[in-house]
Amino acid sequence: MKRLLFFSILLTLGVALFAQKQIKVACVGNSITYGYTLPDPATQSYPAQLQKLLGDSYQVGNFGKSGATLLNKGHRPYMQQEEFKKALAFAGDIVVIHLGINDTDPRDWPNYRDYFVKDYLALIDSFRVVNPESRFIIARMTPIADRHPRFESGTRDWHGEIQLAIETVAKQAGVQLMDFHEPLYPFPYLLPDAVHPNVEGAAIMAKTVYSAITGDFGGLRMPELYTDNMVLQRDCPLTIKGVANAGEKVTVAIGKQKVSAKTASDGRWSVTLQPMKAGGPHTLAVSAGKQKLIYNNVLVGEVWLCSGQSNMEFYLNWSSTAQRDVPQAANNQIRLFDMKARWRTDAVEWDTSVLDSLNHLQYYKETQWKECSPATAGSFSAVAYYFGRMLQDSLKVPVGLICNAIGGSPTEAWVDRNTLEYQFPAILRNWMQNDFIQDWVRGRAALNVKKASNKQQRHPYEPCYLYEAGIRPLQQFPIKGVIWYQGESNAHNREAHEKLFTLLVDSWRKNWGNESLPFYYVQLSGIDRPSWTWFRDSQRRMMSLIPHTGMAVSSDQGDSLDVHPKNKLPIGERLARWALNKTYGARNVVPSGPLFREAEFRGGAAYLTFDYAEGLHTSDGKSLRTFEIAETEDIYYPATAEVVGNQIKVYSKEVKNPRHVRYGWQPFTRANLVNGAGLPASTFRTDWENK
């Protein structure tokens, strides 16, 4: 009896001792792990903050060494440092490794890159020797901001190459891969010196490690576009993705389909539904464990993203046709998702609370899908509404419209950071002072953030900002295409815009994984701003340079004094014509007015050929206006123009041997050439096509 009691006591003590044993977490790394630049690394470094998150059942050790390289031939090899010896002696049950940043040094990566994977594997094996049961989590590196002095001379590219090498190590070693890069990348201000995270950045790193260790990602969550009344894209495989705790089984059900997936170690899951026919309403159910999210009144149809600046934002209530069309807007087959800004970029100083929210990309109000009605349509984009109304009426299927348009926003604000870092890094640097930004945009932004104490205060006009705050959160929600009305804030520099617009379209197509994603845009209207003639013609030419695009002419609806023309109905419907003709194959719908194709010069006249030229005539029954002709480029004379079949003959007694023609070449133009569908011709110069 005494022996049984003795063994019972021993067993109890053993259980108690086992329960008290802490799980040791060794954080191995460089100065970022150590907490260099933080006021108090002992309490603010990511390992210190991780300790607070994990609690007393864990013991977190910080073994970061400033300047340490992963490469054993590097300028300061980690495996030769005292911190490495201490980390081995610690014999962590979990080893978290973040190395590679210092290997971007020109002394290291260019010379010794071939050793990186082997040296990393050797580091892992060293810890396995002291604790064969160790669990390893290796990290994709934190970002290096474009402000870094060596960013373009090699650091940017080598950083990317090292990231790929780290992924190779994870696969080869069979260890868990964690990502420090993604959660910090949209927040460059968290890296004050372009490399080292501040206290808030270290907190993000700590939370990332916490989730990687525990598998706790906050439970089942869906992107913000998933609400009641939503529209799902028809006739294509539907990838639905979200977040859940690691290892959890997630089930998605709609109609007769039910698909499941296991959540990965990074908290992400995705399933793919079979294509669905237009119709509804359906109920979409997403469940994981005891959690279940139900979305009611879901339709399947056509989904379009409607974006740009203030002329896309311009409300139906403000349009010249509002009194007639708003009361008639009820249509439950059109659904609206309106991404409105919390603060308009008007000429005012924002409060400090606003500025802090901007730094955290909290710029948009929470919203949800709503059925189209007089109440919801009135404060929705007029251009988007008229586009969607014509689509729905023509296709007889549900239409979902996502409006994300910010007044005054420049093109660069909508392009993703990686694209600009590699293709146009100059526009990122010192953006409020560089030559790419238009003066009034610069002034508006400066006024908005005047009360900022942070030199790196963010603003919606900043390059990448609206992509990171408003496009990235959409998380590749399946769409059919994009309509775009923007350019007013870039019209002063058509050359830069040509590059930016191409990058924008490419970046959005990469984001949605669709290189032929339709992208239909509005050409700027007419106004008394001198650069707009060149800009409009540049927009016209972009159609031939970027595939799967189309341009709606709006110069006939312009106002010489108002940058916001009020008649949006024809603009929305002209965009819909492009979609109906090019995307939906409605060949009976003429997509555009006359588009200049080529010029033939003979007999003292120019004979101009156009696409979409059937039924050429004038919009007002008067003679053709605004044609000019020249023998020497840029020395133009007013010309007489006549319709000859499907061509336009242009001549002038002042020009005996014409070589150049231009049309509608005024900032505010009264050009009047249209085709049989009543659609106007674009501003153009023959120089470009005839060179």
Side-chain angles (χ1 to χ4, degrees):
M1 191 70 176
K2 290 181 180 179
R3 182 174 294 180
L4 285 174
L5 180 61
F6 175 74
F7 280 115
S8 176
I9 292 171
L10 283 179
L11 182 62
T12 302
L13 287 172
V15 169
L17 288 170
F18 180 79
Q20 292 174 7
K21 180 183 177 183
Q22 291 178 307
I23 299 171
K24 294 192 288 186
V25 181
C27 296
V28 172
N30 46 41
S31 57
I32 295 173
T33 298
Y34 169 74
Y36 179 71
T37 73
L38 299 178
D40 183 13
T43 61
Q44 297 171 335
S45 66
Y46 99 71
Q49 297 194 56
L50 176 64
Q51 179 70 75
K52 296 174 185 176
L53 292 173
L54 290 172
D56 293 338
S57 59
Y58 289 81
Q59 180 187 358
V60 180
N62 185 340
F63 302 101
K65 174 64 175 179
S66 292
T69 65
L70 183 283
L71 286 164
N72 287 328
K73 291 180 179 289
H75 66 275
R76 185 175 289 176
Y78 184 80
M79 292 181 70
Q80 296 178 19
Q81 308 305 312
E82 189 65 27
E83 285 76 7
F84 171 63
K85 296 176 183 178
K86 292 179 179 178
L88 288 178
F90 187 74
D93 302 295
I94 301 171
V95 181
V96 179
I97 304 175
H98 177 229
L99 283 167
I101 288 287
N102 292 313
D103 298 270
T104 64
D105 191 293
R107 294 172 288 180
D108 302 321
W109 187 252
N111 296 317
Y112 307 118
R113 70 181 75 198
D114 291 337
Y115 298 94
F116 188 88
V117 171
K118 289 183 179 180
D119 286 354
Y120 211 134
L121 294 173
L123 177 67
I124 292 172
D125 287 342
S126 297
F127 286 102
R128 280 179 171 154
V129 169
V130 297
N131 186 349
E133 303 302 318
S134 288
R135 172 188 170 192
F136 291 87
I137 303 173
I138 68 174
R140 295 184 77 249
M141 298 179 297
T142 52
I144 296 178
D146 63 271
R147 304 185 308 279
H148 191 280
R150 295 197 307 266
F151 189 74
E152 291 184 62
S153 65
T155 294
R156 173 195 61 197
D157 301 332
W158 300 336
H159 184 275
E161 292 172 7
I162 294 172
Q163 296 283 46
L164 295 176
I166 291 171
E167 293 172 13
T168 299
V169 171
K171 293 176 184 177
Q172 187 68 26
V175 300
Q176 183 176 345
L177 181 65
M178 172 186 66
D179 197 348
F180 276 155
H181 188 268
E182 185 184 29
L184 288 171
Y185 192 50
F187 303 100
Y189 78 96
L190 296 181
L191 311 173
D193 65 355
V195 176
H196 296 91
N198 61 13
V199 175
E200 185 179 349
I204 291 174
M205 295 177 68
K207 183 64 170 67
T208 301
V209 182
Y210 171 83
S211 295
I213 290 174
T214 64
D216 181 358
F217 288 87
L220 181 64
R221 289 178 286 132
M222 296 293 290
E224 60 190 43
L225 272 164
Y226 287 82
T227 76
D228 292 345
N229 306 312
M230 67 192 297
V231 181
L232 296 173
Q233 180 59 44
R234 65 167 173 162
D235 297 340
C236 70
L238 277 174
T239 298
I240 295 180
K241 59 180 69 175
V243 172
N245 292 334
E248 277 196 319
K249 178 183 177 181
V250 179
T251 301
V252 177
I254 184 171
K256 296 181 179 180
Q257 297 192 57
K258 189 174 184 179
V259 189
S260 297
K262 182 180 178 181
T263 306
S265 63
D266 62 359
R268 297 178 181 180
W269 59 267
S270 69
V271 301
T272 301
L273 299 173
Q274 294 299 309
M276 301 177 67
K277 296 297 182 184
H282 300 281
T283 297
L284 174 68
V286 184
S287 59
K290 296 181 180 180
Q291 290 182 282
K292 192 169 187 178
L293 302 174
I294 303 293
Y295 304 105
N296 296 307
N297 196 23
V298 176
L299 300 182
V300 179
E302 296 299 314
V303 183
W304 286 79
L305 174 60
C306 317
S307 191
Q309 57 183 103
S310 54
N311 270 306
M312 178 63 81
E313 179 191 26
F314 194 92
Y315 293 175
L316 182 60
N317 277 337
W318 302 338
S319 69
S320 60
T321 49
Q323 188 172 0
R324 179 192 67 199
D325 290 341
V326 170
Q328 301 175 21
N331 186 341
N332 65 8
Q333 294 297 290
I334 298 177
R335 305 292 173 85
L336 311 176
F337 190 86
D338 198 0
M339 299 176 64
K340 281 185 165 52
R342 295 177 187 269
W343 308 279
R344 297 182 62 83
T345 50
D346 296 329
V348 296
E349 293 181 25
W350 286 336
D351 293 335
T352 54
S353 60
V354 173
L355 301 179
D356 184 63
S357 296
L358 286 172
N359 283 344
H360 293 83
L361 299 181
Q362 297 168 354
Y363 183 57
Y364 291 88
K365 297 178 181 178
E366 292 184 9
T367 189
Q368 58 186 352
W369 287 94
K370 297 177 181 178
E371 293 186 356
C372 186
S373 69
T376 58
S379 59
F380 194 73
S381 161
V383 169
Y385 169 76
Y386 286 122
F387 169 83
R389 187 180 74 171
M390 187 169 179
L391 279 194
Q392 202 283 318
D393 182 64
S394 300
L395 300 174
K396 306 301 182 187
V397 301
V399 171
L401 302 171
I402 304 165
C403 183
N404 182 358
I406 301 300
S409 58
T411 310
E412 58 267 29
W414 297 96
V415 184
D416 76 279
R417 185 170 299 278
N418 184 262
T419 294
L420 290 185
E421 284 183 347
Y422 278 87
Q423 304 296 328
F424 206 156
I427 205 166
L428 290 167
R429 209 151 298 128
N430 207 14
W431 72 274
M432 285 185 66
Q433 281 77 43
N434 68 39
D435 293 333
F436 296 107
I437 190 170
Q438 198 164 179
D439 285 342
W440 76 264
V441 177
R442 185 200 326 272
R444 181 71 57 82
L447 180 62
N448 292 158
V449 303
K450 188 175 180 179
K451 295 178 180 177
S453 58
N454 182 357
K455 292 182 180 180
Q456 297 177 27
Q457 173 63 48
R458 305 198 71 179
H459 187 277
Y461 295 170
E462 174 191 336
C464 313
Y465 187 92
L466 292 173
Y467 182 92
E468 292 169 343
I471 298 299
R472 183 172 172 266
L474 301 184
Q475 297 189 21
Q476 298 92 39
F477 185 87
I479 61 174
K480 188 68 172 184
V482 177
I483 59 171
W484 176 258
Y485 195 161
Q486 190 276 337
E488 297 91 338
S489 293
N490 296 83
H492 66 298
N493 191 335
R494 65 175 176 84
E495 292 84 358
H497 177 265
E498 287 172 3
K499 185 173 183 178
L500 286 167
F501 186 63
T502 302
L503 293 177
L504 181 143
V505 175
D506 287 346
S507 72
W508 287 24
R509 286 174 173 170
K510 288 176 184 175
N511 179 66
W512 270 280
N514 182 359
E515 63 183 14
S516 59
L517 183 75
F519 207 103
Y520 303 128
Y521 60 95
V522 181
Q523 183 188 50
L524 294 191
S525 64
I527 194 172
D528 282 335
R529 293 184 181 178
S531 64
W532 280 38
T533 48
W534 287 93
F535 192 83
R536 289 199 303 263
D537 195 41
S538 170
Q539 289 182 296
R540 175 188 67 85
R541 291 184 290 105
M542 297 302 286
M543 277 192 293
S544 63
L545 299 175
I546 307 175
H548 312 293
T549 60
M551 183 190 76
V553 174
S554 70
S555 55
D556 62 322
Q557 300 299 322
D559 186 310
S560 63
L561 301 177
D562 191 348
V563 75
H564 301 115
K566 292 182 171 52
N567 189 10
K568 302 299 189 188
L569 185 152
I571 311 307
E573 291 191 343
R574 288 170 192 175
L575 289 167
R577 283 175 169 271
W578 277 107
L580 290 169
N581 180 278
K582 297 297 184 182
T583 302
Y584 300 107
R587 299 298 175 232
N588 60 316
V589 177
V590 179
S592 174
L595 288 174
F596 171 70
R597 185 197 306 163
E598 61 183 359
E600 179 184 359
F601 296 95
R602 53 184 168 83
Y607 293 83
L608 309 181
T609 302
F610 297 82
D611 294 324
Y612 312 115
E614 186 172 347
L616 293 176
H617 65 286
T618 60
S619 59
D620 54 7
K622 299 179 181 179
S623 299
L624 285 167
R625 291 192 297 267
T626 74
F627 278 94
E628 298 172 273
I629 199 164
E631 179 175 353
T632 302
E633 189 172 355
D634 291 333
I635 303 178
Y636 282 90
Y637 295 88
T640 300
E642 302 170 351
V643 176
V644 180
N646 285 340
Q647 289 186 312
I648 299 294
K649 178 183 177 182
V650 184
Y651 57 93
S652 170
K653 63 181 181 179
E654 303 290 339
V655 181
K656 303 302 181 184
N657 298 295
R659 293 291 180 267
H660 311 278
V661 175
R662 65 186 186 187
Y663 168 76
W665 207 260
Q666 303 84 30
F668 175 73
T669 180
R670 298 191 183 278
N672 62 348
L673 175 62
V674 297
N675 60 13
L679 300 173
S682 167
T683 294
F684 68 87
R685 291 169 63 108
T686 61
D687 308 54
W688 305 107
E689 283 76 4
N690 285 4
K691 283 184 177 178

